[in-house]
Structures are given as C-alpha cells and as structure tokens.
Coordinates of all heavy atoms in Angstrom, one line a residue:
N1 N 2.5 11.5 -5.5 CA 2.2 12.7 -6.2 C 3.3 13.8 -5.9 O 3.8 14.5 -6.7 CB 0.8 13.3 -5.9 CG 0.4 14.5 -6.7 OD1 0.5 14.4 -7.9 ND2 0.2 15.6 -6.1
E2 N 3.6 13.8 -4.6 CA 4.7 14.8 -4.1 C 6.0 14.5 -4.8 O 6.7 15.3 -5.3 CB 4.8 14.8 -2.6 CG 5.9 15.8 -2.1 CD 5.7 16.1 -0.6 OE1 5.0 15.4 0.1 OE2 6.4 17.1 -0.2
Q3 N 6.3 13.1 -4.9 CA 7.5 12.7 -5.6 C 7.5 13.2 -7.0 O 8.5 13.8 -7.5 CB 7.6 11.2 -5.5 CG 8.7 10.6 -6.4 CD 8.6 9.1 -6.4 OE1 8.6 8.4 -5.4 NE2 8.6 8.5 -7.6
N4 N 6.4 13.0 -7.7 CA 6.3 13.4 -9.1 C 6.4 14.9 -9.4 O 7.1 15.4 -10.3 CB 5.0 12.8 -9.8 CG 5.0 11.3 -9.8 OD1 6.0 10.7 -9.8 ND2 3.8 10.7 -9.8
V5 N 5.8 15.6 -8.5 CA 5.7 17.1 -8.6 C 7.2 17.7 -8.3 O 7.7 18.5 -9.1 CB 4.8 17.7 -7.6 CG1 4.9 19.2 -7.5 CG2 3.3 17.4 -8.0
L6 N 7.9 17.1 -7.3 CA 9.2 17.5 -7.0 C 10.2 17.2 -8.1 O 11.1 18.0 -8.5 CB 9.7 17.0 -5.7 CG 9.0 17.7 -4.5 CD1 9.4 16.9 -3.2 CD2 9.5 19.1 -4.4
K7 N 10.0 16.0 -8.7 CA 10.9 15.6 -9.8 C 10.8 16.6 -11.0 O 11.7 17.0 -11.7 CB 10.6 14.2 -10.3 CG 11.2 13.1 -9.4 CD 10.9 11.7 -9.9 CE 11.6 10.7 -9.1 NZ 11.2 9.3 -9.6
R8 N 9.6 17.2 -11.1 CA 9.3 18.1 -12.2 C 9.8 19.5 -11.9 O 10.3 20.2 -12.8 CB 7.8 18.1 -12.5 CG 7.3 19.1 -13.5 CD 5.9 18.9 -13.8 NE 5.4 19.8 -14.9 CZ 4.5 19.6 -15.7 NH1 3.9 18.4 -15.7 NH2 4.1 20.4 -16.7
F9 N 9.7 19.9 -10.6 CA 9.9 21.3 -10.3 C 11.1 21.7 -9.5 O 11.6 22.8 -9.5 CB 8.7 21.9 -9.6 CG 7.5 22.0 -10.5 CD1 6.4 21.2 -10.3 CD2 7.4 23.0 -11.5 CE1 5.2 21.3 -11.1 CE2 6.2 23.2 -12.2 CZ 5.2 22.3 -12.1
Q10 N 11.7 20.8 -8.7 CA 12.7 21.2 -7.7 C 14.0 21.7 -8.3 O 14.7 22.5 -7.7 CB 13.0 20.0 -6.7 CG 13.8 18.9 -7.3 CD 14.0 17.8 -6.2 OE1 13.1 17.4 -5.5 NE2 15.3 17.3 -6.2
Y11 N 14.3 21.4 -9.6 CA 15.5 21.9 -10.2 C 15.3 23.2 -10.8 O 16.2 23.9 -11.3 CB 16.1 20.9 -11.2 CG 16.4 19.6 -10.5 CD1 15.6 18.4 -10.7 CD2 17.5 19.5 -9.6 CE1 15.9 17.2 -10.0 CE2 17.8 18.3 -8.9 CZ 17.0 17.2 -9.2 OH 17.3 16.0 -8.5
R12 N 14.1 23.7 -10.8 CA 13.7 25.1 -11.4 C 13.8 26.2 -10.4 O 13.8 27.4 -10.8 CB 12.3 25.1 -12.0 CG 12.2 24.1 -13.2 CD 11.0 24.5 -14.0 NE 10.3 23.4 -14.6 CZ 9.1 23.4 -15.1 NH1 8.4 24.6 -15.1 NH2 8.6 22.3 -15.7
T13 N 13.8 25.8 -9.1 CA 13.8 26.9 -8.0 C 14.4 26.3 -6.8 O 14.2 25.1 -6.5 CB 12.3 27.3 -7.8 OG1 12.3 28.2 -6.6 CG2 11.4 26.1 -7.4
P14 N 15.1 27.1 -6.0 CA 15.7 26.7 -4.7 C 14.6 26.8 -3.6 O 15.0 26.5 -2.5 CB 16.8 27.7 -4.5 CG 16.4 28.9 -5.2 CD 15.6 28.5 -6.4
Y15 N 13.4 27.2 -3.9 CA 12.4 27.5 -2.9 C 11.4 26.4 -2.7 O 10.4 26.7 -2.0 CB 11.8 28.9 -3.1 CG 12.9 29.9 -3.3 CD1 13.0 30.7 -4.5 CD2 13.8 30.2 -2.2 CE1 14.0 31.7 -4.6 CE2 14.7 31.2 -2.3 CZ 14.8 31.9 -3.5 OH 15.8 32.9 -3.7
L16 N 11.6 25.2 -3.2 CA 10.8 24.1 -2.9 C 11.6 23.1 -2.0 O 12.8 22.9 -2.4 CB 10.3 23.4 -4.2 CG 9.2 24.1 -5.0 CD1 9.0 23.4 -6.3 CD2 7.9 24.3 -4.3
R17 N 11.0 22.5 -1.0 CA 11.8 21.6 -0.2 C 12.0 20.3 -1.1 O 11.1 19.7 -1.5 CB 11.0 21.2 1.1 CG 11.9 20.2 1.9 CD 11.2 19.9 3.2 NE 10.0 19.1 3.1 CZ 9.3 18.6 4.1 NH1 9.9 18.7 5.4 NH2 8.2 18.0 4.0
P18 N 13.3 20.0 -1.4 CA 13.5 19.0 -2.4 C 13.5 17.5 -1.9 O 13.7 17.2 -0.7 CB 15.0 19.3 -2.8 CG 15.6 19.9 -1.6 CD 14.5 20.6 -0.9
L19 N 13.2 16.7 -2.9 CA 13.3 15.2 -2.7 C 14.8 14.9 -2.8 O 15.5 15.4 -3.7 CB 12.6 14.6 -3.9 CG 12.6 13.1 -4.1 CD1 11.6 12.5 -3.1 CD2 12.1 12.7 -5.6
V20 N 15.3 14.1 -1.8 CA 16.7 13.7 -1.8 C 16.9 12.3 -2.1 O 18.0 11.9 -2.5 CB 17.4 14.1 -0.5 CG1 17.4 15.6 -0.2 CG2 16.7 13.4 0.7
D21 N 15.8 11.5 -2.0 CA 16.0 10.0 -2.3 C 14.6 9.4 -2.4 O 13.6 9.9 -1.9 CB 16.9 9.3 -1.3 CG 17.6 8.1 -1.8 OD1 17.3 7.7 -2.9 OD2 18.4 7.6 -1.1
V22 N 14.6 8.3 -3.1 CA 13.4 7.4 -3.2 C 13.7 6.1 -2.5 O 14.8 5.5 -2.9 CB 12.9 7.2 -4.6 CG1 11.7 6.2 -4.7 CG2 12.6 8.6 -5.3
I23 N 12.9 5.6 -1.7 CA 13.2 4.4 -0.9 C 12.8 3.2 -1.8 O 11.7 3.1 -2.4 CB 12.4 4.3 0.4 CG1 12.8 5.5 1.3 CG2 12.7 3.0 1.2 CD1 14.3 5.7 1.5
E24 N 13.8 2.2 -2.0 CA 13.5 1.0 -2.8 C 13.2 -0.2 -1.9 O 12.5 -1.1 -2.4 CB 14.7 0.7 -3.7 CG 14.9 1.9 -4.7 CD 16.1 1.5 -5.7 OE1 17.1 0.9 -5.2 OE2 15.9 1.9 -6.8
E25 N 13.7 -0.3 -0.7 CA 13.4 -1.3 0.2 C 13.0 -0.8 1.6 O 13.8 0.0 2.2 CB 14.6 -2.3 0.4 CG 14.9 -3.2 -0.8 CD 16.0 -4.1 -0.5 OE1 16.1 -4.6 0.7 OE2 16.9 -4.3 -1.4
P26 N 11.7 -1.0 2.1 CA 10.7 -1.7 1.4 C 10.1 -1.0 0.1 O 10.2 0.2 0.1 CB 9.6 -1.8 2.5 CG 9.8 -0.6 3.4 CD 11.3 -0.4 3.4
S27 N 9.6 -1.8 -0.8 CA 9.2 -1.2 -2.1 C 7.8 -0.6 -2.1 O 7.4 0.1 -3.0 CB 9.4 -2.3 -3.2 OG 8.6 -3.4 -2.8
A28 N 7.0 -1.0 -1.1 CA 5.7 -0.5 -1.0 C 5.3 -0.2 0.5 O 5.8 -0.9 1.3 CB 4.7 -1.5 -1.6
P29 N 4.5 0.8 0.7 CA 4.0 1.8 -0.2 C 5.1 2.8 -0.7 O 6.2 2.7 -0.1 CB 2.9 2.6 0.6 CG 3.4 2.5 2.0 CD 4.0 1.1 2.1
V30 N 4.8 3.7 -1.6 CA 5.8 4.6 -2.1 C 6.3 5.4 -0.9 O 5.5 5.9 -0.1 CB 5.2 5.6 -3.1 CG1 6.2 6.7 -3.4 CG2 4.8 4.8 -4.4
T31 N 7.7 5.5 -0.8 CA 8.3 6.2 0.4 C 9.4 7.1 -0.2 O 10.2 6.7 -1.0 CB 8.9 5.2 1.4 OG1 7.8 4.3 1.8 CG2 9.5 5.9 2.6
I32 N 9.4 8.3 0.3 CA 10.4 9.3 -0.1 C 11.2 9.9 1.0 O 10.7 9.9 2.1 CB 9.8 10.4 -1.0 CG1 8.7 11.2 -0.2 CG2 9.2 9.8 -2.3 CD1 8.1 12.4 -0.9
A33 N 12.4 10.4 0.7 CA 13.2 11.1 1.7 C 13.3 12.5 1.2 O 13.6 12.8 0.0 CB 14.6 10.5 1.8
L34 N 13.1 13.5 2.1 CA 13.0 14.9 1.8 C 14.1 15.6 2.6 O 14.5 15.1 3.6 CB 11.7 15.6 2.1 CG 10.5 15.0 1.3 CD1 9.2 15.3 2.0 CD2 10.5 15.5 -0.2

C-alpha cells in the first residue's frame, strides 16, 4: 500500500519521503527501498 500511495503522490510534492526502488529479488513479500 505504501508503494502504491507513493507512486501516486511523491512526484506531486517534495514533502513525502519517496520510494527510491522496488526489490525484485527476493520477489516476495513486497519489499521497497525508501
């Protein structure tokens, strides 16, 4: 959910801590880099 919300909003404001990457390996569970 955090990944999806950031993809939607982070380019609209500099005041949300942004997603910098999505981890592909390991593929589960969903893992993100902030």
Side-chain angles (χ1 to χ4, degrees):
N1 188 59
E2 182 160 14
Q3 171 188 306
N4 293 338
V5 170
L6 285 171
K7 282 182 176 178
R8 177 172 182 148
F9 289 108
Q10 73 181 41
Y11 299 108
R12 296 197 211 170
T13 175
Y15 305 118
L16 291 173
R17 180 173 69 168
L19 180 75
V20 294
D21 207 351
V22 175
I23 304 304
E24 295 185 323
E25 288 182 39
S27 58
V30 173
T31 303
I32 58 176
L34 299 161

